[in-house]
Amino acid sequence: MSTKTLLFHIEGLDCPNEVRQLKRALTGVVPDVESVRFDTLKGTMALELGNGACTQLRIEEAVTSTGMKAVCLSGGAPATIPKTHPWKNPHLIVSVAAFALAVAAVGVELLASFFPIPETATGVPWPAVALFVAATLLGLRFIAIKAFYALKNLAPDIHLLVVIAALGALLLGEWFEAAAVSSLFAFSLFLESWSTGRARHAIAALMEVAPDTARYLKNGAETLVPASTIVTGDRLRVLPGERIPVDARVLAGISSVDESTLTGESRPVSKAPGDPVYAGTLNQESAFELEALNDTAHSSLARIMHLVEEAQLRRAPVEQFVDRFARIYTPLMMAVALLAFLGLPIAAAYTWPEAFYAALVILLIACPCALVISTPVSIVAGLARAAREGVLIKGGIHLETPARLKVIALDKTGTLTTGRMTVSAVEPLADWTMHELLAHAASVEAQSTHPIAQAILQYAHTQGVAVDAVEAHTNLPGKGAQVTRAGHTAWAGNVRMLKAMLGEAAVLPEGALAAEARGKTVVLIGDAKEVMGFIVCEDAPRPESRAAIEALHNAGIDSVVMLTGDNRMTADAIALAVGADAVYAELLPEHKVETVRALKQQYGCIAMVGDGINDAPALAAADVSIAMGAMGSDAALETADIALMADDLSRLPWLIGHSRRTMRIIRQNIVIALGLKGAVAVLALFGIATLWLAVLSDMGASLIVIANGLRLLRTPAPAPAKKPCCCPENHGTP
């Protein structure tokens, strides 16, 4: 059954508490809803609908029943979320007007000291009472609407609690308190909406870097067109200082491109004809002529933005815990308020009106808005900051995990090494020639995408060796491959392949042993009878590998190990060069999984770093999987939990520091949210706290946790403190 998705902007959706109201309103009333997702920071709701009778109108009516308003952003409706200026916000207008009336009431009270003005039995001038009541009712203008629907749906929230507190204050004759509560809370609604909007724009600004227009070339003429109209194959021009509108291939021109928007790498990358360039990156030196490889909706930047949006929906364990706690918190505080009202007159020297007032104060701090919003704003800011640094994290759960890592396993080829193999020697044996050896090797490797196979094919091409057609091809994971060529068997692979083809008694040629002893990779070439020769390949360690591993030790990682299917001598040489604590060599894919599980049992939380495709089983076995070389690779983006967009291992220690900083800020926010409310609750029990102080604490807590969470956007994660490595010096064994 096919489904359709409708996206709505929900006017008034600023607090996660309102999400629960919307879910209640939609449940049972709107049929055929297969799933519903909310984004509080963006103020949006996405629904997946079946083929039933559910209509857009019915959804909008269900939202209206909560006191909020739904504006459809899909299905031919407006494509953008409506924007309003802060000074046009109705909550600001109402709160300012209510404040003005309250100030006027205080002025009347002052005038009563000099002029005879009729007073109530409590000594408050009647005109002042009227102004206080007017200020209270005006402040409740928008609050009362949501309170009514909360009461109607039996879902008490802060709006209902504020209305109860304001009316209770009027009942007690606390005129100023009633006006202060309603006007302050109306102002807090404006501040919450404004600060959430600022957070929304700050996060969006980190990703919205692609230009809106493009220079389209046709028949030598240049036209400025919307970037959204560009399709695959279009010819474009990009001038120095302009951003590239879509993923493209350079046709003409040589320049440097700043790819920091995608990779976090500040150093410009040189681009020449034939090189790929990516949407949102900045051309720096001279003009390019480009051929579009896709449209704006399918660019690398668009995929990253889509994955970041999806990541916001994958909730971290700490976020789920806060939500569960919040569902208990409000009923608990309401019970405390009831106990205070009933118990204070009995247990302490409180009058019933004083106990009622204390209960109203406790009711006002019963809403967990600040607590609930404390986590998602930090998680989303952390995800956006990481994306800006070239680290794509696919969900809050994966942002939390690196803070707990104890061991990191890294694949060798393409992770610790450059992954760009080059042929350094071709050694035929017996009566075979180099040309014949390369021809056999190329025919075996022609259908492989492995870096070693590609290096052999490229070398064969430079030597003028043609690749013959094969009759059958068989890939043997962890060993090599074999083909049937002109009726004869040819194979290429490692020592396990040698023994599989020629028997357990077969041994490596002396020259191959010597090459492996120097840390080279040897590919044996043979047929059904003998070893025809071998090809020596090299894959140099990445320049940053050793420094990155030292930084991981300084970050508190107990062990950094290397996993590879390569032979022992080559693996040991690479591990020694990069400073790995242990190396597990000659591993088949299933052995890598077993090794990851054993390391997890020994050390605890483990990350696996690989290419996101060949190491998929081992990646899946780890607590968090990290892909190298993700830029421009759909498969890597889809496979791994985290992607390092610039192939830069130095991002690993940065990721750990960023994860720990994010978790530290989340804990700070939880303490702030609960601490302020707890302090007011204690003051209320001692008769010190006032209603307006309760509103200020609720408003202040929300603003503080939002501002604290947004710090993750502005400053990079600090360098982790050094910690001595406690790892064994000797390399491990498979």
Side-chain angles (χ1 to χ4, degrees), residues 356-373:
F356 183 55
Y357 186 88
L360 292 178
V361 173
I362 295 173
L363 275 181
L364 278 181
I365 60 172
C367 182
C369 282
L371 174 64
V372 174
I373 205 172

Side-chain angles (χ1 to χ4, degrees), residues 661-697:
R661 185 166 184 260
T662 301
M663 298 310 299
R664 186 165 60 249
I665 285 179
I666 288 173
R667 288 191 290 269
Q668 291 170 359
N669 282 347
I670 292 173
V671 170
I672 290 169
L674 291 178
L676 281 176
K677 291 177 179 288
V680 173
V682 171
L683 293 175
L685 294 176
F686 285 95
I688 300 173
T690 59
L691 292 174
W692 61 267
L693 181 61
V695 173
L696 279 178
S697 71

Side-chain angles (χ1 to χ4, degrees), residues 411 413 448-451 475 477 588-590 592-593 608 610-619 635 639:
D411 180 47
T413 304
S448 175
T449 59
H450 193 279
N475 184 49
L588 295 174
E590 59 267 27
K592 285 188 178 182
V593 174
M608 174 67 191
D611 62 11
I613 304 172
N614 296 332
D615 297 311
L619 289 166
T639 301

Side-chain angles (χ1 to χ4, degrees), residues 232-467:
T232 302
D234 282 353
R235 197 177 181 101
L236 310 172
R237 177 178 286 127
V238 179
L239 301 181
E242 293 182 344
R243 291 196 178 272
I244 296 166
V246 295
D247 291 354
R249 179 172 59 89
V250 178
L251 296 178
I254 298 176
S255 183
S256 295
V257 175
D258 179 359
E259 295 183 341
S260 60
T261 52
L262 289 181
T263 67
E265 174 56 62
S266 59
R267 290 174 295 181
V269 180
S270 179
K271 299 289 183 178
D275 290 338
V277 291
Y278 302 98
T281 58
L282 180 66
N283 182 24
Q284 292 192 322
E285 294 172 354
S286 59
F288 274 137
E289 285 193 16
L290 310 173
E291 179 188 10
L293 297 179
N294 50 38
D295 55 25
T296 55
H298 297 90
S299 68
S300 298
L301 182 63
R303 291 202 310 272
I304 292 172
M305 292 174 65
H306 174 68
L307 289 170
V308 170
E309 289 175 355
E310 282 191 339
Q312 297 174 22
L313 304 174
R314 298 176 185 175
R315 298 153 67 79
V318 66
E319 193 173 359
Q320 297 173 18
F321 166 76
V322 167
D323 269 0
R324 289 194 300 269
F325 180 79
R327 286 195 289 270
I328 301 171
Y329 172 80
T330 299
L332 178 64
M333 293 303 295
M334 294 179 74
V336 170
L338 179 61
L339 287 175
F341 173 62
L342 298 176
L344 285 176
I346 300 172
Y350 273 71
T351 64
W352 286 105
E354 290 172 340
F356 183 55
Y357 186 88
L360 292 178
V361 173
I362 295 173
L363 275 181
L364 278 181
I365 60 172
C367 182
C369 282
L371 174 64
V372 174
I373 205 172
S374 64
T375 306
V377 70
S378 302
I379 292 291
V380 174
L383 292 172
R385 177 69 199 189
R388 186 65 181 85
E389 292 289 330
V391 180
L392 181 59
I393 304 173
K394 295 167 61 177
I397 184 173
H398 307 308
L399 177 58
E400 179 179 342
T401 305
R404 300 184 284 108
L405 287 177
K406 295 297 182 183
V407 58
I408 294 181
L410 301 107
D411 180 47
K412 178 180 77 70
T413 304
T415 301
L416 284 169
T417 64
T418 62
R420 293 185 292 273
M421 301 294 293
T422 58
V423 174
S424 59
V426 178
E427 300 288 346
L429 300 175
D431 296 329
W432 296 98
T433 67
M434 186 180 77
H435 189 280
E436 290 172 328
L437 187 65
L438 281 174
H440 274 74
S443 65
V444 176
E445 305 290 12
Q447 298 184 41
S448 175
T449 59
H450 193 279
I452 294 177
Q454 293 300 305
I456 292 174
L457 287 169
Q458 184 178 4
Y459 186 79
H461 176 73
T462 61
Q463 298 299 312
V465 175
V467 179

